[in-house]
Amino acid sequence: KTHFIVNGFHELKLVWNQVKKMSVLKRYLGAFFFYSMGVQTVMLCAIDFGIKVLKLEDQKLIITAVIIQFVAIAGAILISKLSAVIGNFKTLIVCVALWIVICISGYNISTEIQFYLLASLVGLIMGGIQSLSRSTYSKLLPETKDTASFFSFYDVTEKLSIVIGLFSFGFIEGITNDMRKSLLALIVFFIIGLLFLIAANISSNMKKQL
């Protein structure tokens, strides 16, 4: 078992050594790492937010979850079509900017209707940004037969972002005793991710990759 773990870390190190030499991919992964902290945390804590902040009943929270899933299908299609028109990076920039709007709106909502509307916006962007992030990564990969190691690196990056995002969210809530402030603090991750995306887009335009 130890042998497998060591080999796994060795493969990730080899991938990282290649990523460091590829400016667009490196900046994109930096963007993905930071905005995923916010995206995954919002997705995992949305229902909890409805319970603690708005005191919504279980039945209404189930309705919210269904709304998110249905809207996510339409969102994935819409974002896919948008990326075909303006490109992957610009579409991701729009999506991350909308996540910032979601965090600010979440901080200010106070009614059930507002929560449903915000959940609809979350669903609209949720499905699209996940699929687009993965497809963008695949397009930026170098020519290699070892795509499995590159996607393992991608998955590890995402899992680390989830851990850090949730820890940050819980830590701030524990200090302030206010989930709204935790949600607002996620904007920092989205802004950093947005800056990395803009940098990756500039590098991509220079190299005409995407």
Side-chain angles (χ1 to χ4, degrees), residues 8-202:
F9 277 107
H10 179 66
E11 285 185 15
L12 292 176
K13 184 180 179 181
L14 290 176
V15 172
W16 173 238
N17 287 335
Q18 293 183 67
V19 169
K20 287 191 294 185
K21 300 174 184 177
M22 304 174 67
S23 61
V24 179
L25 182 58
K26 181 173 65 175
R27 289 170 183 173
Y28 171 69
L29 275 174
F32 174 73
F33 178 69
F34 281 102
Y35 71 67
S36 284
M37 289 184 197
V39 170
Q40 299 295 336
T41 302
V42 171
M43 287 167 52
L44 293 171
C45 296
I47 301 300
D48 200 32
F49 183 88
I51 295 172
K52 291 184 178 180
V53 177
L54 300 179
K55 313 296 182 185
L56 295 180
E57 300 170 4
D58 290 346
Q59 185 178 0
K60 293 177 180 178
L61 292 170
I62 292 172
I63 292 172
T64 303
V66 172
I67 289 173
I68 290 175
Q69 295 305 317
F70 272 108
V71 176
I73 298 172
I77 296 171
L78 180 64
I79 289 174
S80 176
K81 289 184 176 180
L82 182 62
S83 66
V85 175
I86 67 174
N88 288 26
F89 279 129
K90 289 180 180 178
T91 304
L92 285 170
I93 288 170
V94 171
C95 288
V96 173
L98 286 173
W99 278 107
I100 294 173
V101 172
I102 287 172
C103 290
I104 295 171
S105 301
Y107 180 79
N108 291 293
I109 64 171
S110 57
T111 68
E112 183 180 324
I113 297 299
Q114 289 174 337
F115 183 72
Y116 288 146
L117 290 173
L118 193 61
S120 299
L121 183 56
V122 168
L124 193 65
I125 311 170
M126 179 186 74
I129 196 170
Q130 289 180 309
S131 59
L132 186 60
S133 294
R134 199 170 189 85
S135 67
T136 301
Y137 179 72
S138 66
K139 289 179 180 180
L140 293 172
L141 292 182
E143 292 186 10
T144 177
K145 294 180 180 179
D146 191 19
T147 55
S149 293
F150 274 91
F151 275 101
S152 294
F153 189 87
Y154 178 89
D155 290 334
V156 168
T157 301
E158 185 176 38
K159 297 300 182 294
L160 282 174
S161 72
I162 293 173
V163 172
I164 296 173
L166 287 174
F167 174 80
S168 302
F169 191 88
F171 182 75
I172 294 170
E173 184 187 358
I175 292 176
T176 63
N177 198 30
D178 186 353
M179 190 176 278
R180 291 180 188 272
K181 291 180 180 176
S182 295
L183 185 61
L184 197 65
L186 293 179
I187 292 175
V188 174
F189 297 140
F190 285 119
I191 289 174
I192 295 173
L194 190 62
L195 292 174
F196 269 109
L197 272 178
I198 292 170
N201 186 44
I202 292 171

